[in-house]
């Protein structure tokens, strides 16, 4: 399946933009909602950290170095989204410009690892015997990064519109969007609850 560069990149993009698997989009929303266009470097670094984590876990999974129970990952993915959304709610309105590369970047990398394990099995099933696994993984990661940048741009653009035209404060924008995401992720947690 992964013999064509553009096909593999598109596969990565579709993984993020799949309407039936919107957990990735929800994570990106809560990751980007605290920021404005002028923060694009920080946002790009956060998104790239997420992609790096996602790709590392895919590599570990595809090469068979790490196996994680699917039900555990399906439970942990909404937990990562919930943590980021709750973090936004508690930090809304507080100054973030002084924040150094630290806990947020490390946690984003770690959350990327969790999300990547959620897709490892499907990725392995789509590999054919002649496929170069490593090249396919890099092409797939490029597709993920492109799609994530698209999602983040949309979030930043909507933030700009709501904060300038509709006069939402940055704090209110973060609170409303993060609360909506919390409302969407709670049913995912209930559906994937591990007893």
């Amino acid at each position: 399946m992964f013999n064509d560069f553009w096909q593999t990149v598109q596969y990565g993009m579709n993984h993020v933009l799949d309407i039936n698997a919107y957990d990735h989009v929800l994570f990106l929303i809560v990751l980007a909602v605290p920021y404005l266009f002028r923060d694009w470097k920080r946002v790009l670094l956060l998104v790239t950290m997420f992609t790096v984590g996602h790709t590392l876990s895919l590599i570990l999974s595809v090469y068979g170095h790490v196996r994680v129970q699917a039900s555990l990952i399906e439970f942990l993915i909404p937990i990562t989204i919930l943590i980021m959304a709750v973090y936004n709610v508690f930090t809304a309105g507080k100054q973030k410009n002084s924040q150094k590369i630290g806990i947020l970047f490390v946690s984003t990398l770690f959350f990327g690892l969790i999300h990547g394990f959620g897709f490892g099995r499907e990725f392995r099933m789509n590999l054919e015997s002649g496929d170069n696994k490593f090249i396919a993984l890099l092409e797939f990661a490029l597709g993920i990064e492109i799609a994530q940048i698209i999602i983040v741009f949309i979030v930043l653009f909507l933030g700009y519109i709501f904060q300038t035209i509709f006069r939402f404060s940055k704090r209110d924008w973060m609170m409303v969007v993060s609360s909506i995401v919390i409302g969407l992720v709670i049913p995912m947690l209930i559906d994937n609850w591990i007893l």
Side-chain angles (χ1 to χ4, degrees):
M1 171 170 178
F2 297 120
N3 293 324
D4 178 69
F5 170 79
W6 182 240
Q7 182 184 14
T8 310
V9 171
Q10 281 184 309
Y11 186 57
M13 291 175 69
N14 291 337
H15 168 64
V16 175
L17 302 173
D18 181 2
I19 194 71
N20 296 318
Y22 56 92
D23 55 344
H24 206 126
V25 173
L26 291 179
F27 185 84
L28 292 169
I29 290 170
V30 292
L31 187 66
V33 77
Y35 299 101
L36 304 169
F37 276 117
R38 69 173 177 252
D39 305 315
W40 69 270
K41 289 180 185 175
R42 181 183 293 265
V43 178
L44 182 62
L45 184 56
L46 279 169
V47 167
T48 302
M49 294 295 285
F50 187 71
T51 304
V52 167
H54 194 280
T55 304
L56 283 174
S57 57
L58 266 176
I59 289 170
L60 293 170
S61 178
V62 167
Y63 282 96
H65 297 303
V66 177
R67 297 257 190 248
V68 183
Q69 188 178 359
S71 60
L72 176 63
I73 294 300
E74 291 303 316
F75 175 70
L76 289 176
I77 287 174
I79 291 285
T80 65
I81 300 164
L82 184 65
I83 289 169
M84 290 300 293
V86 169
Y87 175 79
N88 286 346
V89 168
F90 282 105
T91 60
K94 297 186 172 131
Q95 189 63 267
K96 289 190 177 198
N97 292 339
S98 61
Q99 186 178 3
K100 304 243 185 303
I101 296 175
I103 189 80
L104 186 59
F105 290 87
V106 172
S107 59
T108 302
L109 176 70
F110 178 71
F111 292 162
L113 284 166
I114 293 170
H115 283 248
F117 280 124
F119 196 68
R121 184 170 172 261
E122 183 180 331
F123 192 89
R124 274 194 318 274
M125 289 181 352
N126 285 308
L127 282 169
E128 295 174 4
S129 58
D131 290 336
N132 182 323
K133 290 180 189 177
F134 189 71
I135 298 298
L137 284 164
L138 291 180
E139 292 168 351
F140 181 75
L142 176 62
I144 287 174
E145 187 76 356
I146 291 168
Q148 290 183 159
I149 290 169
I150 291 168
I151 297 292
V152 165
F153 177 81
I154 291 169
V155 172
L156 294 177
F157 182 70
L158 288 173
Y160 173 79
I161 288 173
F162 276 89
Q163 291 175 62
T164 56
I165 296 173
F166 297 111
R167 300 289 183 202
F168 271 56
S169 69
K170 183 177 175 183
R171 177 190 173 278
D172 289 347
W173 172 244
M174 282 178 65
M175 294 283 284
V176 167
V177 173
S178 297
S179 297
I180 290 169
V181 170
I182 290 169
L184 291 171
V185 84
I186 286 174
M188 293 169 64
L189 277 170
I190 294 168
D191 291 342
N192 294 295
W193 194 260
I194 298 175
L195 296 176

